[in-house]
Amino acid sequence: GTGSNILSALQDLFWLLKSKVEKQLQIISVLQWVLTFLIMGIACTLILMYILCTDCWVIAALYLVWLVFDWNTPKKGGRRSQWVRNWAIWRYFRDYFPIRLVKTHNLLTTRNYIFGYHPHGIMGLGAFCNFSTEATGVSQKFPGIRPYLATLAGNFRMPILRDYLMSGGICPVNRDSIDYILSKNGSGNAIIIVVGGAAESLNCTPGKNSVTLKNRKGFVKLALRHGADLVPVYSFGENEVYKQVIFEEGSWGRWVQKKFQKHIGFAPCIFHGRGLFSSNTWGLLPYSKPITTVVGEPITIPKIDNPSQKDVDFYHSIYVDSLIKLFNKYKSKFGLPETEVLEVN
């Protein structure tokens, strides 16, 4: 009896320690990504400049020469690495929240796709985990489909950061890059565009489901020009992981945010999550709230070399209706009341 009790106590202790270690690994995995998102580009640029002023300047010079020759690679589909996409750290990243990818329909490998991802949230955590890593099994759920998450082109001007982003299958969200992937990279490509962008991030807050979409029609025009099917994607919980100070329209804070958005491409947000050592303190870590990303039914789009505004408006309205239907179908399943309405701005 005594031996059995000791063995049982040791087993309990082992599982307790294992659980604590896994939790710490989850926190570390998320922290490294948040720091990458916020400071890696600037930090790598400063480090490279410093190395140029040291005895190791040759290393930095060789990298800069290679960078010149490699400058257009992000515009040509990038340089993805399945090894990086399958890093174990991304599974810990997934389990911290946790993040889940839900497939509702099959995608044909003979077609190309533009996924409209909603909402933006503060950092687009669900978009990154689901489509720039294999943590949630995107390649198994959509065999033969190559996902490309589109982000600010300015990120690809930053040394080292550009290579890190490309290894996950991330590309610049500009016309050159999207045109290349959809016209010169074969079929089975899926470009994920966070349609609301910086404007949408300014309004994200826990408990609010709203998207900036009414006047966002460029992605529809691109789809028509290339005959790429549109796929609505909604990520339940994306707005729950950070709390943000929302500045009212007309306030000085909103004026500053809009100026940054107009001239730089992103809008600075005042936000916070939890602390590194306690969920009861403020910090940069997101709150561990579940994020469930639902990929909807593809909308078949014809190829029109020069689509008219009427064509764009027609398929944009179909897309908006499809997104609302997707939201309404799954909202109660993922924790929202039946009375919840998706606000389309």
Side-chain angles (χ1 to χ4, degrees), residues 6-22:
I6 293 174
L7 181 61
S8 178
L10 288 174
Q11 287 177 335
D12 291 342
L13 180 62
F14 171 77
W15 288 113
L16 180 63
L17 291 174
K18 182 180 179 181
S19 176
K20 286 186 175 181
V21 168
E22 287 186 349

Side-chain angles (χ1 to χ4, degrees), residues 204-272:
C204 70
T205 187
K208 186 175 183 179
N209 288 283
S210 66
V211 296
T212 302
L213 183 57
K214 280 184 180 179
N215 297 315
R216 300 295 174 106
K217 300 180 181 181
F219 72 106
V220 178
K221 189 172 184 178
L222 279 170
L224 285 165
R225 289 180 61 245
H226 294 284
D229 294 347
L230 290 171
V231 182
V233 179
Y234 197 85
S235 209
F236 294 91
E238 185 72 64
N239 285 345
E240 307 299 318
V241 295
Y242 279 111
K243 295 178 181 179
Q244 180 184 189
V245 176
I246 304 292
F247 293 102
E248 297 295 330
E249 290 292 338
S251 66
W252 67 269
R254 182 54 64 98
W255 180 84
V256 170
Q257 289 176 322
K258 287 188 173 181
K259 286 295 182 182
F260 266 84
Q261 178 189 337
K262 180 180 179 179
H263 297 292
I264 301 178
F266 75 93
C269 303
I270 299 178
F271 65 92
H272 74 85

Side-chain angles (χ1 to χ4, degrees), residues 5 10 23 34 80 138 152 169 189 245 308 327 330 342:
N5 290 338
L10 288 174
K23 188 61 181 177
V34 170
R80 76 173 57 220
V138 64
L152 289 175
N189 302 292
V245 176
S308 65
F327 176 84
Y330 289 94
L342 178 62

Side-chain angles (χ1 to χ4, degrees), residues 101-116 131 138-148 187-192 228-233 294-300:
L101 180 65
V102 176
K103 169 186 174 181
T104 63
H105 291 79
N106 292 324
L107 299 181
L108 300 176
T109 57
T110 55
R111 300 285 292 173
N112 283 324
Y113 301 90
I114 293 180
F115 287 17
F131 301 113
V138 64
S139 294
Q140 287 73 44
K141 291 176 180 176
F142 300 103
I145 302 297
R146 293 181 297 276
Y148 293 86
S187 60
N189 302 292
I191 297 180
I192 298 89
D229 294 347
L230 290 171
V231 182
V233 179
V294 184
V295 180
E297 181 178 3
I299 303 165
T300 303

